[in-house]
Amino acid sequence: MEQRPGDVSWEEIATKIKIIFSVVALLIGAELFYRWLTQPDDTFSLYQELITLIWYNLHSLIFGPDSVTLASKNGLDTVLIFNHPSFEGSDINSLWVSDECVGIHETIFLAVLILLTPGVSNRIRWRSIAVTTLVIQVLNFIRLMVLYPLAVSACEGSPNVDGCEAPMFEFHEFILSSGFLVILVFIWLGWYLVLQRK
């Protein structure tokens, strides 16, 4: 086939495809590494306890000390028990802060995206990873803090108290399964566009 001036060459297309597949392969590798790292429960036990303690104290400050109780699982203080009159008879008895709940998975995913972005100096990369880690942790705390009001609003005045906490768990699962992924891609896209303009 004859190539017209200005057309993209086959070599350029092959290079772009190679870059895309390399990025996908490295992201899959990072995901497998994370899964291997967190194979036993409570891999990040100290951090899980720290997040639980901060969540407990922040929750007590905002919603009152009677609205939550701190409990243990596997010898770690990583369980919060929500208390509210409308929860009588429901299944809201404990929320366990697992190693998946502390935002490390999301931090690793975004860090790999930033590290794989071409044309960015290492100094900017590491500063960006530090800032985005802070952003992820703040978003994660907002997610945790929203769980109690969601459960209260769903259970108050509900004729069927059993199962009224479903919206809280559905929100939690949605954010963990796909919501955070969308947010992370938007954070990375925004970061990339800001860098491109500068």
Side-chain angles (χ1 to χ4, degrees), residues 38-180:
T38 57
Q39 189 56 41
D41 283 342
D42 302 323
T43 308
F44 304 106
S45 56
L46 291 176
Y47 193 60
Q48 289 170 239
E49 283 191 302
L50 175 66
I51 296 294
T52 307
L53 191 63
I54 294 170
W55 183 18
Y56 170 75
N57 286 303
L58 201 56
H59 182 101
S60 298
L61 189 68
I62 295 172
F63 301 110
D66 295 338
S67 66
V68 68
T69 308
L70 185 62
S72 297
K73 181 175 181 176
N74 302 332
L76 302 170
D77 292 332
T78 55
V79 176
L80 289 190
I81 300 169
F82 288 163
N83 306 311
H84 192 270
S86 64
F87 297 161
E88 290 297 324
S90 76
D91 288 335
I92 306 176
N93 45 11
S94 63
L95 296 168
W96 173 44
V97 179
S98 69
D99 44 19
E100 188 67 31
C101 292
V102 292
I104 292 177
H105 192 183
E106 292 78 11
T107 301
I108 290 173
F109 178 81
L110 193 54
V112 170
L113 275 180
I114 290 171
L115 288 171
L116 293 177
T117 305
V120 180
S121 72
N122 283 336
R123 189 171 145 265
I124 290 174
R125 280 187 176 130
W126 290 112
R127 280 177 44 200
S128 300
I129 288 171
V131 170
T132 55
T133 298
L134 184 63
V135 169
I136 289 168
Q137 291 305 314
V138 168
L139 290 174
N140 193 43
F141 266 105
I142 291 170
R143 174 185 71 86
L144 294 174
M145 294 304 296
V146 164
L147 295 178
Y148 181 76
L150 262 177
V152 170
S153 66
C155 290
E156 274 186 327
S158 175
N160 183 14
V161 178
D162 187 28
C164 70
E165 73 286 347
M168 178 189 76
F169 289 117
E170 286 166 9
F171 169 77
H172 182 263
E173 283 306 310
F174 168 73
I175 293 297
L176 278 181
S177 62
S178 54
F180 244 134

Side-chain angles (χ1 to χ4, degrees), residues 1-4 7 10:
M1 281 177 58
E2 188 180 334
Q3 188 174 351
R4 292 175 294 182
D7 277 357
W10 288 109

